[in-house]
Amino acid sequence: MSEWVDACSTDDIDEEDLIRFDHGGRTFAIYHSPDGEFFCTDGVCTHEKVHLSGGLVMDYVIECPKHNGQFDYRTGEAVRAPVCVNLKTYATKVQGDRVLIQI
């Protein structure tokens, strides 16, 4: 059964950036898109298990800091090699100034 978890403040993430969020033994990445929306994916690259929080965000793409593979963080789709397995995504919502993720 899924639940909504309070992950961070909307002010914690600059536009076109991300933060790492750890909860229940899992790591997530929460993104602030250039159009002001928030998104969430697994926080570890599917290629070499590196934390994505050290990566570069450009528009709607997160680039892994280890081998420069890229994912579209809105869908989790792997868009540039060497990554070939998509990231899992999670629903987000904003309540007041808080970002919640559904896990």
Side-chain angles (χ1 to χ4, degrees):
M1 179 173 223
S2 64
E3 65 177 308
W4 288 97
V5 176
D6 185 330
C8 63
S9 167
T10 55
D11 293 335
D12 290 341
I13 314 169
D14 292 332
E15 199 170 280
E16 289 193 84
D17 205 358
L18 80 154
I19 62 166
R20 177 178 168 175
F21 174 66
D22 295 316
H23 179 78
R26 296 164 61 191
T27 298
F28 303 91
I30 304 171
Y31 310 86
H32 189 172
S33 74
D35 60 9
E37 291 184 274
F38 291 88
F39 295 87
C40 182
T41 68
D42 279 333
V44 177
C45 181
T46 58
H47 175 241
E48 289 274 335
K49 307 302 180 210
V50 173
H51 288 280
L52 293 172
S53 59
L56 176 65
V57 177
M58 300 164 290
D59 294 321
Y60 301 99
V61 172
I62 175 64
E63 182 176 88
C64 178
K66 187 163 186 178
H67 291 120
N68 300 53
Q70 294 181 344
F71 302 91
D72 182 326
Y73 60 75
R74 297 170 296 179
T75 63
E77 179 183 1
V79 295
R80 186 170 81 188
V83 298
C84 56
V85 176
N86 296 344
L87 287 171
K88 184 172 181 183
T89 60
Y90 302 88
T92 63
K93 66 180 178 181
V94 175
Q95 287 186 336
D97 68 344
R98 305 299 301 171
V99 178
L100 286 74
I101 62 172
Q102 188 175 31
I103 55 175

